[in-house]
Amino acid sequence: MESAMLWRLLAKINFVTSALILAVPAYTVHAADLKIGFKAEVTSADPHVLNGNNRNVWVHVYESLVAQDENLKAKPALATSWRNVDSTTWEFKLRPNVTFHNGATMTAEDVKFSIERAMNLSGPRTFRTYLKAVQSVTVTGPGTVTIKTKGPSPTLPDSLGLIAILPKTIGDKASEEDFATGKTTFGTGPYKFVSWAHGQRVSLAKNSAYWGEKEPWDNVTFQFIPREPARASALLSGSVDLIDAATANVMDSFKSSNKIDVVSTTSYMLNYLQLDRFRDNSPYLKSNEGAPLAKNPFNDIKVRQALMAAVNREGIVNRLMKGDAEAASQFVPAGFFGNDPALKVPAHDLAKAKALLAEAGYPNGFRMTMHCSNDRYLNDAKVCEALGQVFSQIGIKTEVATMPFAVYAGRATAGGASGEPEFSLFMFGIGAVTGDSLEPLLAVAHSHDKAAGLGANNRGRYSSKEVDALVIKASVTMNEKAREDLQKAAAKAVIDDVGIVPLFFLKSTWAYRKGLTVKPRSDGFTLAMGIRESSSAK
């Protein structure tokens, strides 16, 4: 600890001296290193490989045409403006005088190359889904790119916000190794790539030629520390300045140290239940005697409403999650595009739930096995155990089966006898990464249509003509107010029909040494650009 403090002091002295000699701006007076204890490891250096944790790190190096603020609202980045020329044409004006880390000036040709590379990159995890609306990318001026879409695509700017802009000179053959070793790791971002030690850390250095606000940190290190107790220990010992994914499990140790501050925000990650709606005889629903049921109870709305009423969301949030979540009533939290304030969190009412079951013809309930992961979401197994208990209280005698997500996801998606989804009632999570409810509506609420790429996460095979029509109309409506109204209507229709059972939104929490300020982000990203020495610490 003492050596770290001494190092920082020497660094400050060095930069104060530099400031006096070179008359550089005042922010460098406080220049230093920033060390971040990061839960997830980077798995690929190619910024066009889809992985949220990877993107968290690489957005320091690479930028997109459109950026997202802390609430995931779009803001200009490498594009200074964009507009609809017509319903299938978007025009982007590029920021002038932006250079890549290799010194080359960013051009419209680089933007075209990058989007087309992301559209055509092979592999299981790419951004192709986000770019499926793109028909062509054309350079229509020195600083102008025009994108034609296959149909109206109101969310295209949000989707392009996920695509890193790379220099065309790296070529079509740039490999994972080229990115990992720094051979082709040239973005326009506020930090330059220095090195990646697999499973250990990614090291970055300030880009002094950055076009935007200059960063105060000379060097930023993402140190991978998967286990929360180890991250907490690293923070308390001073070996890192900040950790992400801090939960209630370690808060007591922070309070007793008096050296740590904490900040959190509601994230986009919704945990919810899906129900088997496509089989007459669902495999994990039985009579009280263990025999197959004559029909699928989940096809009766009163049974679905009974499940909705049985869930004690506030109890789970306050007692089990200890404040690490917020009760949910819909697909996206307040402040996101498509959130409907009129949709309230369903009341916990066991008497109502029992009455609904009786009205549906199940006064004595039935047996059920509920499936969940045990290593994917915070407290996922514990949450499912708690849910199993309340469902048993209303007469649905519930056994809970949990398993590692790597096994669980495969069975939930295609573990049935003929490759169909296997489970009857199960929990998943989905996040509106662009801050817009359209994405989860298309993926979870719309009827499953593999050929059309719709309902990709609709493992319960929920299907409503009303919802489908609203979601599709929203997806091609260019007027924002009209589109948001359609998405609100779609969300209400799904919830009224109990197409899913929303549980809660997970919170993102950061713990950090006193003297820093941290801007919490709804996507849970940990960005050095949002971390500063507080004015009192300067």
Side-chain angles (χ1 to χ4, degrees), residues 10 14 77 100 118 134 136 162 186 188-189 193 197 203 216 258-259 308 318 324 330 388 402 419 428 434 515:
L10 291 172
N14 176 53
F100 289 104
V134 176
S136 64
L162 304 174
F186 307 125
T188 59
F193 174 82
S203 299
N258 199 34
K259 297 186 297 183
M308 186 77 95
N318 293 326
D324 285 329
Q330 53 195 295
T402 67
F428 260 93
T434 58

Side-chain angles (χ1 to χ4, degrees), residues 507-521:
K507 286 188 175 181
S508 294
T509 302
W510 296 262
Y512 49 95
R513 63 171 169 81
K514 287 185 180 296
L516 293 179
T517 62
V518 178
K519 288 183 179 178
R521 294 180 56 86

